[in-house]
Amino acid sequence: MKKLLLTALSLLFTVTVYAQKPRELVVQIDIKNKAQKIDNFGAAGAWFTEGIAKNWPTQNREQMAEWLFSKEFDTNGNPKGIGLSAWRFNIGGGTAEQGDSSGITDFRKRVECFLRPDGTYDWSKQAGYVWFTKKAKEYGVANLIAFSNTPPVQFTKNGRGYKTDKDYISNLKPEHYSGYAGFLVTVLKHFDGEGLHFNYISPVNEPQWDWYHAPGQGAKQEGSPWRNDEIAHVAKALDSALTATGSPSKILLTEAAQLDFLYGKTGNANQQTQAFFKPGSKLFLKNLKHLPSLIGGHSYFTDKGDSARIAIRRHVADTTAKYGVAFWQTEYSMLADGYREGKAGRIPAIDCALFLSKVIHDDLVYGNAAAWQLWNSWEPGNPDFDTRYYLIALKPSNNEYTDGTITATKNLWALGHYSRFIRPGMYRLNIIRNDDLSAEQIAQDLMVSAYASEKQVVLVAINYGNEARVLKPEVSGLKVKGDADVYLTTGETGVDMKRGKVGNLKEGFKIPARGMVTITLNN
């Protein structure tokens, strides 16, 4: 009886151990099997930036800059920052000078304008925005992108930074296309003289929305709709102005409000890849000197449901490839409720971060995005729950917004798992998994993507499941030198791209449940 009991306990122990052994995923990686070339990972510093850089304690804004731009490590080998390779600068339209009469209710979302009403320029404007852009440059951020949400208010039909007619037509007066282009190029030329070269200038933003608010209704921000023919008009005017000044800056179009506007939808600003890059189109722009074969779109409102999200991105990849156009994802935050994935109540920061990392994965893997840029780097909010809008949570100490505290969220490190080690010029690699899961199943399981330069392979793995997993990468074409560096983020406080080592890749390495990992392999 005693012997039978011991045998039963032994079997039970064996079964328990077996059940607890993490499932393994083997991925085959050939560094010659290349997909798209990566240009940059970036973010924007808008709205709240002006008050922070002017008034908040120096150590706060220096810390914010370090979190975003630093490529250095602390004494334990953990990244000090996420090493962004692009930074988006908002060229304002002058709603800040209008004050309450601007109609924009939140003073922090009004933006100054360099152009005075008399046609002269005041380069002391937007000092907060400029401060962070200079910091980006100091940290070695190579790709600076200037974007405009509205023409200067003196150029608009209603003298405001948004529409008061719901007609989906640009707010720019027809006689001011050349003036608007001249304004943008003057701003670029000025900052070239300051040592801040903007690689790209984006003249329209989310042209599909009406940006309408009736007088007295209260607007949320600067904005203007643009029909496709109006976008072509402004692009041609801007190309001429850039050529006249000898500027090397390039034009970035179209900052579509949703990714499906890049290939489909209806309205006056739809099918934008075909409209501007299909040979024979009456709005064909590929012959413009300063317009690269590149189109930008925003991942807002196309992130709900794994199947729909993946399908939309595949449509983007197919359409842009058909017309020889690179795709950049140029704005995203969790504006809609897709990030909730059916969950009620407050969403923990790690869940927001995992969803963010999934959207980035899908944009890169299925959309073939060559660049990925977040919307706003910082906004007021809770760092522990519902961090849907920001990388850094702000806690203003007063209503005037002259002081406050800052906290890095898990979203910062979720983006950092990509931006810190996947550097400009690397290629995404096609990988082969041994589990035969569909793309939709992978989205709830262990997502893996790989990237390579001549000297390094970088893997990003997202364990979306509730159980630990083991990842076994099999890399061909690379002779691994030394141990692999592994950087881990989990929901645990302080585990934010925490560095570790893996000595034997053949045995694989464990990824905790609901965890994110970046692995770097040196040639």
Side-chain angles (χ1 to χ4, degrees), residues 147-265:
F147 70 98
S148 171
N149 289 331
T150 177
V153 292
Q154 55 265 49
F155 291 166
T156 63
K157 295 172 182 176
N158 58 3
R160 295 178 183 267
Y162 58 91
K163 290 281 290 189
T164 47
D165 293 311
K166 194 170 186 176
D167 55 12
Y168 294 90
I169 295 173
S170 172
N171 203 22
L172 179 64
K173 292 179 180 178
E175 65 269 24
H176 283 312
Y177 274 84
S178 60
Y180 179 40
F183 160 71
L184 294 175
V185 171
T186 300
V187 173
L188 298 184
K189 186 177 180 180
H190 166 78
F191 284 110
D192 274 336
E194 296 282 311
L196 288 178
H197 173 65
F198 287 97
N199 306 67
Y200 291 88
I201 175 65
S202 173
V204 305
N205 188 70
E206 298 187 346
Q208 292 81 13
W209 301 150
D210 57 44
W211 296 107
Y212 163 77
H213 295 278
Q217 190 180 65
K220 294 181 179 179
Q221 65 170 92
E222 296 182 345
S224 174
W226 301 82
R227 301 179 312 210
N228 279 347
D229 62 309
E230 294 170 327
I231 295 171
H233 190 173
V234 77
K236 291 174 182 177
L238 185 52
D239 185 70
S240 295
L242 290 166
T243 300
T245 59
S247 173
S249 297
K250 299 174 183 179
I251 301 169
L252 173 60
L253 296 180
T254 60
E255 306 265 12
Q258 295 182 180
L259 296 186
D260 40 3
F261 283 113
L262 294 179
Y263 61 83
K265 304 286 278 187

Side-chain angles (χ1 to χ4, degrees), residues 268-472:
N268 297 320
N270 66 326
Q271 298 184 32
Q272 293 193 307
T273 305
Q274 299 94 313
F276 301 124
F277 296 101
K278 180 181 179 180
S281 168
K282 64 180 180 179
L283 300 178
F284 187 73
L285 296 176
K286 215 169 184 179
N287 56 351
L288 294 184
K289 179 180 179 180
H290 294 271
L291 185 73
S293 295
L294 167 66
I295 197 161
H298 300 172
S299 281
Y300 304 125
F301 307 112
T302 57
D303 55 358
K304 188 171 185 176
D306 295 330
S307 179
R309 184 181 58 257
I310 291 166
I312 288 168
R313 281 142 186 84
R314 283 174 167 163
H315 275 299
V316 171
D318 290 345
T319 305
T320 52
K322 181 177 181 178
Y323 299 107
V325 180
F327 160 57
W328 284 16
Q329 194 293 123
T330 52
E331 272 193 30
Y332 178 72
S333 65
M334 293 166 249
L335 285 183
D337 64 354
Y339 77 103
R340 304 189 70 88
E341 297 189 295
K343 296 188 287 285
R346 297 195 301 175
I347 306 299
I350 188 61
D351 288 357
C352 291
L354 285 161
F355 188 82
L356 173 62
S357 65
K358 177 159 68 171
V359 172
I360 299 172
H361 171 274
D362 290 357
D363 285 341
L364 294 170
V365 172
Y366 306 117
N368 280 347
W372 202 95
Q373 297 153 13
L374 189 91
W375 167 224
N376 222 9
S377 297
W378 38 68
E379 293 199 12
N382 188 324
D384 300 316
F385 294 94
D386 297 321
T387 56
R388 54 197 291 200
Y389 301 125
Y390 43 84
L391 303 178
I392 299 169
L394 307 176
K395 186 177 181 180
S397 60
N398 55 53
N399 292 333
E400 291 74 31
Y401 209 71
T402 56
D403 196 0
T405 57
I406 58 172
T407 307
T409 73
K410 294 292 179 179
N411 287 345
L412 178 77
W413 308 109
L415 176 55
H417 276 283
Y418 294 91
S419 62
R420 177 58 190 84
F421 296 106
I422 305 170
R423 305 311 301 170
M426 280 186 157
Y427 284 87
R428 184 176 69 82
L429 303 176
N430 295 306
I431 66 172
I432 299 173
R433 302 167 60 104
N434 75 334
D435 58 5
D436 296 323
L437 294 183
S438 67
E440 293 76 14
Q441 289 171 322
I442 290 170
Q444 295 297 325
D445 194 77
L446 181 59
M447 292 167 269
V448 182
S449 56
Y451 311 82
S453 65
E454 292 183 0
K455 298 180 179 180
Q456 192 175 59
V457 169
V458 176
L459 282 74
V460 180
I462 308 155
N463 187 356
Y464 219 72
N466 294 316
E467 297 178 353
R469 298 293 302 277
V470 170
L471 178 63
K472 289 186 175 181

